[in-house]
Amino acid sequence: MIAFVLRRMAASVVTLLLLSVTIFLLVRATGDPARVYAGAEASEEEVAAVREDFGLDRPLPVQYASFVTDTVKGDLGHSIQFRQPVFEVYMDRLPRSLILATVAFGLSLVIGIPAGVLSAVRPGRWSAGVFRAVALTGVSVPNFVIATTLILVFAVKLRWLPTSGSGSIKQLVMPSIALGWYFAAAMMRLTQSSMLEVMRGEYVKLARLKGVPEWIVIGKHALKNALIPVLTLAGVNFVVMVNVAVVIEQIFAWPGIGDLVYQGITLRDFPLVQGVVLMAGFMVVAVNLIVDVVYAVLDPRIRLER
Amino acid sequence: MAVIATRSTTTDSADQADDEAGRRPRPPWGRLRVLLADAPTGAIVIIAALAVVAVFAPWLAPHDPLQPVPGALSTTGPAWETGNWDSVLGTDFQGRDILSRVIYGTRISLAVGLAGTLVAGSLGLAVGVVAGYLGGLVDQVLMRIVDAWLAIPALIFAVFLAMVFGNRLGIWSIVIILGAVFWTRYARVLRGEVLSLRERDFVRLAQVAGASRWRIMRRHIIPNVANTWMVLASLTVGVVIILEASLSFLGIGVPPPAPAWGSMIAEARIPLMAGKWLPVAAPAVPIALTVFAFNLLGDWLRIRLDPTQRNL
Amino acid sequence: MRTRLWRAVAAFGLLAAGCGSGDSSAGQDETSTPESVAQVVEVTTPQAGAERSSTTLGERREPAGKVVYGWHTALSPAWLDPQESGNVITAYGFNMAIHDSMIKHFPGDQLAPSLAESYEIADDFMSASFTIREGAKFHNGEPVTADDVEFTYLNYRGTQAQLFKDRLDRIEKADARNITFYFKEPFLDFLILYGTPATGIGWIVPKAYYEQVGPDGFKQAPIGAGPYKLVRNTANTELELEAMPDYWRKGPAVKTIIYKIITDDATRFAALQTGEIDLMNVVQGQLLDAAKNDDRIRLTQRSTTAFWLEFPGWEKPDSPFHDVRVRQAISLALNRREISDAETGGFAKIDTGNWGAPDLIGALQPDEIKPEWYEYNLEKAKQLMADAGYPDGFEVPQLTPLAPYYALAERVITQLAQIGIKTSLNRIERAAFVEALTKGPDALPGIILNISGLNGDMAARWRAFATCEGPSSRTCIPELDAKFAQYEASTDPEERDTLMAELQTSFNDQYVFPYVYTLGLTMATGPRIANNPDDIWFSIPQFPYVFPWEDVELKP
């Protein structure tokens, strides 16, 4: 067991390093940030001064080396646009993305899992059709269409909810619905297929033969096993939700991580972009590691895999 | 389909029987006739219709999608409101006929969706097969790179690449970017399959018979992962199309004035705020239909070709 | 410069009087004649050796209530620090509330002494002296002193900083409230550069505080001398400002201002409709109809800065744009009426004719504009194309606009297709565009659609965009460069006037930068604001945002 964990951790570290190299190189391929920061009318001396200030004139490997050592220390560089350490700006906004993701995630679980179970257990009923339609909308219609429609209906026409911004519970409702719908649909589909799978399995057949009441069969045996892959995937989905809410955050003026990435890229603030993408990757790798370990604890066969 | 699990444990009893008999399993296309009896006709009809529209767009569209309809300067309502049946669904904010743009948009969206999927699929197949079959250090290195790329959430990665590389190649920039974002999913899953395929007797036999590694990969491995590949592909098309729409919303998708559905929706958001819903609905419906059809197809393929592949 | 300044200021007065607002019910003064407006302006025109001391002080009031201002661009914290001001007028949207300048435009009163009680520019332009207003204080209670003014000048790092440093000979402080700048040579542009949003050097920051917290700390928590102080900055998306009741000009009526940053056009408009914001920047063209139909929303519209086209590499003989007939044909093919109607519902001006608008100091005035520079004549255009040897037109690799004017670029593309010029849109975001501009003619081949919010005067624009060595220039005409050098060397305002006019005229006669149309901005005011919207929007030259904040009032 320990060996397994150590192996996975080592792999994660390597992954992170590769990630950092990729990001580092790609970011520098975008052009000369010193020029953009100094402005179109700046003279060459002014641009050179900026370049020196930010250490952009050192050779690439040196820049990368200090990038890595600084990151390990928690220093993700200095945002050109915000004039603050990237880490500070990031931490300032992370809670908002976390809140949004948590609510959206909760919605996706609360709606997706029961819907999936119901569809698997009672495929003939009208409810399965309804759930399917809702799920299909989630994966077929882009989330910004959903978001705009929500604003039009609930904020402008009905005046029930505020249009945008962050800070109050009311402002949380629409963005989390728009964000969570897709994942609710995905959860539903996965739960459904997982349940179907498990219910066809030997264990369930045996339980039925033994005369165990149906609801215990479903609730206790089938569900527990069906949920394992669902929840392990859910973990990563949550991290994804935190990071990809770029479009939602733009529309609802929700100052989170996604919006930060977009701003950073638009303004060529490459320390910021570097930092945010790196943190996203770090989160994903970390959650994957945890999920793997949890999965290994639950299912011993996995430990033996390479 | 944000993440794909990688724990697939294939236990196809037919393959087992073949192993014991020392024979290669039948290639997938032999099974096709059996499968088609149960096909989802709705999905296939929709996809066929889309293909027809895409191919025959110049004949089907009433107007030039890039030029304003004579007399129209900006958004006008549908024919049942304006009485002008020259432009059935009305015009967009530049006065261009919406129906014509939707029809021509089929070409772009299908092309981008399929091409992006193909690029991702090809690269993913190549890497997955090589990594899975060769194993060892090659496998480790390749998979670590795959993990690293997989760790960056798709939208952020796409936005990032789009900003970095811009629109140098027009439409094909987007295709390449989409390919770059999604190939890792194929690589991961296919590599897992190849790992177990590798141990099978028919492969061992070929090795013993002296076949080169490349020949084995080409003739034995690749055809046998074709099933999974097709399932993945059909499920990815929808995701790719939606991602393109998101990129267009952010202003970095297929460059205007090309009538890509995603761009059209992005442009139609503002009239939506003013109460006009048709410019949004007109391109949104085909997107939904396309994704719906491919998802149905993918689901069906998944169940029919390999019922135990539950985690796709 | 004197003449041109006067006429520019008068032109602004005409613009202000002439351009009606969309829906404004409360007394847009339709009866004000050009003469009466010009009269008002003449009185306040500064001359060389100008001396100003205005003392109109408003009443003291107890501030109350809250106003929410919907802002349309992402905020850069650098904008809160006038010491690093760039060429972007957007920053001043915040400066005007938090900081104060020695000299400032006020509605109907240009270049008025603000933080200064009085100022005097010497006859020979070799010195400028100021007396600081008695009792002027920063938000932290510290008085504004000559030390602060000196520090602001010497520590300034923003646009034109080098020029100010080079020209300065010495600074003399007679006492805590009196300071004089001496220059090495006649500094004709000093008043404009110091007293307008051309630069931020006149916007005074507290020396002790700035040195204590440093530039970065200052941006997180700026202290100024303006009518409002910043009390909260939430993730750069919401700013909260609180009134300073002792502000010298008058006590602000509104206690709290919230700047709410909503970059998405549709969402921002929705927020206005629900009443979440009271004032809104930039109503997008397609939303104009919905806005006009809403009784509670009042619109204020101005046509401000001109768009123009550029053809990098046109000087080379093998470029299709080399022939002046081709360029003229392009100008003739632009249906500006259609563009204005489609983009702004028709209010945007289409006859400015010059790539610098007339309220820009030094720009050509309306009577110097030739109608052929904005004429639309498709037949003539086609004829010219045929004469030049391109009866069927030609292909151009791309057309690149400044972000986010993609819709306009698409319309131009469509119109150019009428005379056979086929191209497609190259959509790049603003940062990349700005950078590419500086890389010379080859970085952005094809056609460029440009617009500039560059502050200052026409000469500043010329320097940046039209000279051979200009940082954002892709054009080089050596004869015109020589003339511009003459302009810069000259110390005679009349001669400068003439040279500047000649430069622009010859440029336009050759259709080097064909005029497209003049950007029309629409700003919106909600029902809670008591003011006549025309009094608080576009109230001073080249500034489209809400000003002055101390005048804003809420309905009871």
Side-chain angles (χ1 to χ4, degrees):
Chain A
M1 183 64 195
I2 305 285
F4 174 78
V5 172
L6 284 177
R7 262 205 314 264
R8 294 293 289 111
M9 277 182 68
S12 297
V13 169
V14 174
T15 306
L16 279 175
L17 276 176
L18 281 171
L19 181 67
S20 66
V21 172
T22 312
I23 295 172
F24 180 82
L25 288 175
L26 279 176
V27 154
R28 268 164 192 68
T30 68
D32 183 6
R35 159 57 68 183
V36 175
Y37 170 66
E41 288 86 20
S43 66
E44 278 307 316
E45 303 91 56
E46 289 166 359
V47 175
V50 166
R51 199 171 285 129
E52 208 183 294
D53 274 343
F54 284 94
L56 299 169
D57 51 349
R58 297 172 295 169
L60 272 185
V62 174
Q63 288 189 47
Y64 178 70
S66 59
F67 169 59
V68 171
T69 46
D70 286 340
T71 307
V72 169
K73 279 186 283 180
D75 172 13
L76 289 171
H78 213 78
S79 162
I80 294 177
Q81 187 213 357
F82 288 100
R83 308 304 191 85
Q84 278 173 290
V86 170
F87 195 69
E88 245 180 63
V89 179
Y90 188 82
M91 282 307 169
D92 201 21
R93 293 194 168 218
L94 182 61
R96 273 183 218 88
S97 282
L98 283 176
I99 293 174
L100 184 60
T102 307
V103 176
F105 182 66
L107 277 177
S108 70
L109 287 183
V110 160
I111 295 178
I113 294 186
V117 169
L118 216 55
S119 306
V121 168
R122 301 248 180 281
R125 291 252 287 248
W126 60 269
S127 54
V130 168
F131 290 136
R132 220 153 159 225
V134 167
L136 225 41
T137 319
V139 299
S140 310
V141 180
N143 58 8
F144 54 87
V145 173
I146 296 180
T148 314
T149 317
L150 286 175
I151 293 184
L152 184 65
V153 171
F154 291 104
V156 178
K157 291 269 153 68
L158 292 175
R159 301 288 168 91
W160 288 353
L161 297 167
T163 57
S164 59
S166 66
S168 71
I169 306 249
K170 273 191 175 179
Q171 287 165 318
L172 195 47
V173 174
M174 290 195 291
S176 46
I177 293 179
L179 181 59
W181 202 316
Y182 173 88
F183 294 96
M187 280 293 146
M188 199 212 92
R189 284 154 62 91
L190 187 60
T191 310
Q192 176 187 25
S193 62
S194 190
M195 275 293 288
L196 283 173
E197 170 95 28
V198 166
M199 289 195 326
R200 269 201 297 260
E202 304 293 324
Y203 192 65
V204 169
K205 284 187 193 154
L206 191 60
R208 281 201 181 118
L209 280 175
K210 280 164 68 174
V212 175
E214 184 70 7
W215 67 269
I216 294 189
V217 170
I218 295 176
K220 207 161 154 240
H221 301 303
L223 195 58
K224 201 171 59 157
N225 288 307
L227 281 185
I228 295 177
V230 172
L231 289 177
T232 53
L233 265 182
V236 185
N237 274 357
F238 176 75
V239 169
V240 172
M241 263 190 245
V242 172
N243 287 293
V244 300
V246 180
V247 171
I248 301 285
E249 288 180 9
Q250 278 251 297
I251 297 182
F252 288 101
W254 189 276
I257 303 295
D259 182 52
L260 198 61
V261 164
Y262 186 67
Q263 273 194 52
I265 290 177
T266 317
L267 296 167
R268 293 270 195 274
D269 187 351
F270 75 83
L272 185 64
V273 173
Q274 242 170 226
V276 176
V277 179
L278 199 58
M279 287 298 288
F282 173 73
M283 264 194 251
V284 173
V285 170
V287 169
N288 266 330
L289 181 60
I290 296 173
V291 161
D292 275 354
V293 171
V294 167
Y295 209 173
V297 165
L298 294 176
D299 188 353
R301 288 177 297 170
I302 305 304
R303 280 179 239 164
L304 304 174
E305 253 183 47
R306 245 171 314 134
Chain B
M1 202 176 88
V3 174
I4 302 175
T6 60
R7 282 158 239 308
S8 54
T9 46
T10 320
T11 50
D12 188 336
S13 45
D15 281 328
Q16 247 174 348
D18 282 334
D19 274 350
E20 275 140 31
R23 278 196 300 269
R24 283 172 54 199
R26 274 174 300 161
W29 45 89
R31 296 188 208 155
L32 214 56
R33 268 168 274 134
V34 177
L35 294 175
L36 279 180
D38 193 26
T41 38
I44 295 187
V45 163
I46 291 178
I47 294 178
L50 287 169
V52 164
V53 170
V55 168
F56 292 104
W59 290 272
L60 291 169
H63 295 281
D64 183 342
L66 301 180
Q67 290 290 331
V69 172
L73 271 185
S74 62
T75 326
T76 56
W80 52 90
E81 273 173 33
T82 63
N84 174 18
W85 288 91
D86 191 30
S87 176
V88 178
L89 293 178
T91 60
D92 71 359
F93 76 109
Q94 295 252 349
R96 301 173 293 210
D97 179 41
I98 290 181
L99 181 62
S100 307
R101 282 176 70 80
V102 170
I103 289 176
Y104 269 89
T106 315
R107 291 187 154 183
I108 297 179
S109 297
L110 277 189
V112 170
L114 292 173
T117 307
L118 267 172
V119 170
S122 313
L123 186 56
L125 178 67
V127 172
V129 165
V130 166
Y133 187 73
L134 295 181
L137 188 60
V138 172
D139 179 29
Q140 288 300 313
V141 168
L142 282 175
M143 280 304 114
R144 292 291 80 75
I145 296 179
V146 165
D147 280 344
W149 284 47
L150 259 181
I152 310 178
L155 182 57
I156 294 200
F157 201 22
V159 168
F160 187 46
L161 289 177
M163 290 292 182
V164 168
F165 297 113
N167 278 325
R168 305 236 172 97
L169 302 166
I171 252 188
W172 303 109
S173 284
I174 302 300
V175 169
I176 293 174
I177 289 171
L178 291 170
V181 170
F182 286 108
W183 71 270
T184 46
R185 288 153 170 71
Y186 289 83
R188 261 241 148 241
V189 175
L190 293 174
R191 173 247 186 201
E193 272 225 36
V194 171
L195 276 184
S196 58
L197 265 180
R198 206 166 65 154
E199 307 304 323
R200 300 268 285 280
D201 286 355
F202 69 90
V203 173
R204 292 261 165 80
L205 272 175
Q207 287 171 333
V208 163
S212 79
R213 293 198 285 198
W214 307 104
R215 185 181 163 82
I216 293 181
M217 282 193 272
R218 211 165 30 99
R219 295 210 68 204
H220 298 272
I221 304 290
I222 291 186
N224 284 298
V225 296
N227 288 355
T228 313
W229 191 95
M230 281 201 289
V231 173
L232 268 178
S234 58
L235 291 176
T236 318
V237 174
V239 177
V240 169
I241 292 182
I242 298 261
L243 188 60
E244 188 276 322
S246 303
L247 291 180
S248 294
F249 172 81
L250 296 171
I252 48 183
V254 176
W261 292 334
S263 308
M264 290 178 67
I265 296 184
E267 289 163 353
R269 272 197 67 238
I270 296 197
L272 181 67
M273 269 305 170
K276 302 190 174 120
W277 53 269
L278 196 54
V280 171
V285 167
I287 290 188
L289 277 179
T290 313
V291 175
F292 169 71
F294 276 102
N295 277 344
L296 268 187
L297 191 65
D299 279 348
W300 173 76
L301 277 176
R302 172 165 57 95
I303 294 173
R304 288 299 283 163
L305 292 181
D306 221 332
T308 57
Q309 289 282 10
R310 63 177 180 181
N311 288 326
L312 285 175
Chain C
M1 183 186 100
R2 170 172 31 124
T3 319
R4 204 150 289 280
L5 170 61
W6 173 83
R7 294 170 75 194
V9 160
F12 173 77
L14 283 170
L15 269 176
C19 285
S21 54
D23 223 7
S24 148
S25 45
Q28 164 61 34
D29 194 358
E30 246 109 47
T31 59
S32 71
T33 58
E35 295 84 46
S36 62
V37 172
Q39 220 172 17
V40 168
V41 163
E42 214 171 320
V43 164
T44 61
T45 303
Q47 316 281 326
E51 213 181 286
R52 281 295 310 273
S53 47
S54 87
T55 49
T56 329
L57 298 177
E59 70 263 32
R60 297 286 121 207
R61 315 187 259 203
E62 190 59 41
K66 180 171 84 166
V67 164
V68 184
Y69 184 19
W71 192 268
H72 64 302
T73 66
L75 167 66
S76 173
W79 291 349
L80 300 174
D81 183 0
Q83 289 276 281
E84 293 185 19
S85 65
N87 291 309
V88 182
I89 193 71
T90 328
Y92 291 90
F94 302 89
N95 275 348
M96 295 283 190
I98 301 174
H99 296 285
D100 204 356
S101 175
M102 294 294 273
I103 302 174
K104 217 159 75 177
H105 291 316
F106 283 105
D109 191 4
Q110 273 91 33
L111 294 173
S114 182
L115 208 47
E117 190 177 86
S118 63
Y119 68 87
E120 183 176 337
I121 313 280
D123 283 343
D124 56 5
F125 296 104
M126 295 282 289
S127 66
S129 33
F130 299 85
T131 303
I132 298 172
R133 200 169 286 277
E134 183 159 2
K137 286 211 264 280
F138 291 110
H139 299 148
N140 57 4
E142 296 295 318
V144 181
T145 66
D147 282 342
D148 300 306
V149 178
E150 179 189 30
F151 173 79
T152 304
Y153 191 103
L154 295 175
N155 196 43
Y156 176 70
R157 302 176 301 283
T159 186
Q160 306 278 37
Q162 200 55 45
L163 179 70
F164 281 107
K165 283 198 172 66
D166 290 341
R167 293 288 179 98
L168 183 70
D169 182 42
R170 67 188 189 283
I171 298 179
E172 278 179 13
K173 295 177 283 189
D175 55 40
R177 286 178 55 212
N178 285 288
I179 182 169
T180 307
F181 297 98
Y182 291 93
F183 308 114
K184 292 179 184 152
E185 47 197 44
F187 196 170
L188 275 74
D189 299 317
F190 176 78
L191 185 58
I192 299 299
L193 291 176
Y194 194 81
T196 69
T199 74
I201 202 173
W203 296 75
I204 308 303
V205 299
K207 170 178 177 181
Y209 179 75
Y210 201 95
E211 285 181 323
Q212 178 198 341
V213 301
D216 285 353
F218 188 81
K219 293 172 184 62
Q220 306 305 324
I223 299 268
Y228 283 84
K229 79 172 172 215
L230 181 70
V231 297
R232 170 174 67 89
N233 176 349
T234 309
N236 280 308
T237 51
E238 199 170 283
L239 300 180
E240 183 176 331
L241 277 60
E242 198 176 288
M244 300 297 293
D246 292 330
Y247 183 62
W248 64 268
R249 187 166 173 261
K250 66 169 71 151
V254 176
K255 176 152 195 261
T256 309
I257 303 176
I258 308 263
Y259 276 72
K260 223 178 172 130
I261 296 187
I262 308 176
T263 53
D264 187 78
D265 289 325
T267 311
R268 194 169 66 251
F269 184 68
L272 179 71
Q273 287 180 305
T274 60
E276 280 163 75
I277 60 179
D278 304 300
L279 294 161
M280 178 178 145
N281 276 353
V282 183
V283 179
Q284 219 261 17
Q286 296 176 66
L287 292 167
L288 281 178
D289 282 334
K292 287 178 187 166
N293 287 334
D294 192 331
D295 290 329
R296 297 159 311 144
I297 298 178
R298 293 167 283 173
L299 298 178
T300 317
Q301 299 182 308
R302 283 291 182 277
S303 203
T304 54
T305 347
F307 286 95
W308 71 89
L309 295 177
E310 293 187 31
F311 314 108
W314 68 271
E315 303 92 336
K316 301 205 196 87
D318 58 349
S319 162
F321 303 106
H322 185 71
D323 192 327
V324 64
R325 287 172 294 194
V326 170
R327 300 195 299 274
Q328 189 179 3
I330 288 177
S331 176
L332 286 166
L334 292 174
N335 188 342
R336 298 167 180 83
R337 175 83 273 144
E338 201 179 85
I339 292 178
S340 173
D341 284 344
E343 295 272 307
T344 67
F347 87 90
K349 291 172 78 67
I350 56 174
D351 57 2
T352 311
N354 187 20
W355 59 288
D359 70 336
L360 190 60
I361 293 162
L364 291 174
Q365 296 303 297
D367 59 339
E368 292 166 314
I369 305 288
K370 300 186 190 168
E372 54 253 35
W373 295 342
Y374 57 89
E375 184 189 344
Y376 171 59
N377 189 330
L378 205 53
E379 286 312 310
K380 197 160 153 192
K382 288 185 187 161
Q383 186 58 48
L384 282 170
M385 287 291 282
D387 290 345
Y390 298 103
D392 298 316
F394 51 86
E395 285 211 15
V396 176
Q398 61 189 22
L399 188 146
T400 315
L402 175 69
Y405 302 108
Y406 307 115
L408 174 63
E410 280 193 64
R411 287 186 211 276
V412 170
I413 291 176
T414 311
Q415 290 182 354
L416 290 183
Q418 310 286 325
I419 57 171
I421 297 183
K422 298 169 263 295
T423 184
S424 67
L425 181 70
N426 178 25
R427 184 178 177 139
I428 63 180
E429 25 77 33
R430 193 174 277 239
F433 182 85
V434 162
E435 187 182 338
L437 281 192
T438 65
K439 294 225 166 85
D442 298 319
L444 284 176
I447 306 178
I448 294 179
L449 175 65
N450 209 348
I451 183 172
S452 174
L454 189 59
N455 300 323
D457 56 2
M458 193 65 202
R461 300 239 177 135
W462 192 276
R463 197 176 294 118
F465 292 104
T467 55
C468 294
E469 298 303 310
S472 301
S473 168
R474 282 149 304 286
T475 291
C476 186
I477 306 178
E479 307 86 55
L480 293 185
D481 253 29
K483 207 177 245 184
F484 188 67
Q486 243 188 311
Y487 167 87
E488 296 208 280
S490 162
T491 56
D492 174 6
E494 295 278 355
E495 186 192 16
R496 286 187 134 207
D497 245 18
T498 321
L499 284 172
M500 204 67 230
E502 281 175 13
L503 280 168
Q504 292 171 72
T505 310
S506 51
F507 215 60
N508 290 345
D509 280 338
Q510 293 184 63
Y511 296 95
V512 181
F513 281 2
Y515 163 77
V516 179
Y517 88 118
T518 310
L519 174 67
L521 282 177
T522 306
M523 309 305 212
T525 310
R528 292 178 63 230
I529 305 291
N531 306 70
N532 176 351
D534 291 321
D535 290 336
I536 53 175
W537 292 103
F538 304 103
S539 54
I540 55 176
Q542 292 179 41
F543 189 73
Y545 310 123
V546 173
F547 176 81
W549 280 105
E550 59 271 18
D551 286 353
V552 174
E553 290 170 18
L554 286 167
K555 287 192 182 143

